[in-house]
């Protein structure tokens, strides 16, 4: 796995995504990020860039 920070970010992203009712596929589509990459982020396997974090904004804007 990745660093503790990446793993914590991934856990938080997954929790927020699920609380908003988003599937990985929907988040990926709305963000323009590949679904498999979203999975890697959630598992803490990648060191996500600031640019990619901003692309994940749809999960934070959804009501």
């Amino acid at each position: 796995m990745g660093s503790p920070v990446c793993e914590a970010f991934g856990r938080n992203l997954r929790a927020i995504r699920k609380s908003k009712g988003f599937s990985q596929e929907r988040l990926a589509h709305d963000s323009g990020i590949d679904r498999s990459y979203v999975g890697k982020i959630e598992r803490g396997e990648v060191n996500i860039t600031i640019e990619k974090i901003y692309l994940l904004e749809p999960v934070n804007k959804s009501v």
Side-chain angles (χ1 to χ4, degrees), residues 2-57:
S3 75
V5 172
C6 293
E7 291 175 8
F9 181 86
R11 281 192 305 273
N12 289 333
L13 177 63
R14 179 178 285 141
I16 293 167
R17 174 181 61 76
K18 287 185 172 187
S19 75
K20 303 286 184 171
F22 277 44
S23 65
Q24 280 187 349
E25 290 81 10
R26 178 175 173 198
L27 177 58
H29 178 267
D30 290 358
S31 303
I33 297 174
D34 190 81
R35 197 230 30 99
S36 64
Y37 192 72
V38 171
K40 288 179 182 181
I41 294 168
E42 290 187 353
R43 291 188 301 275
E45 295 175 356
V46 294
N47 189 6
I48 186 171
T49 64
I50 297 287
E51 289 85 5
K52 294 277 193 241
I53 291 171
Y54 278 106
L55 291 176
L56 294 169
E57 189 173 3

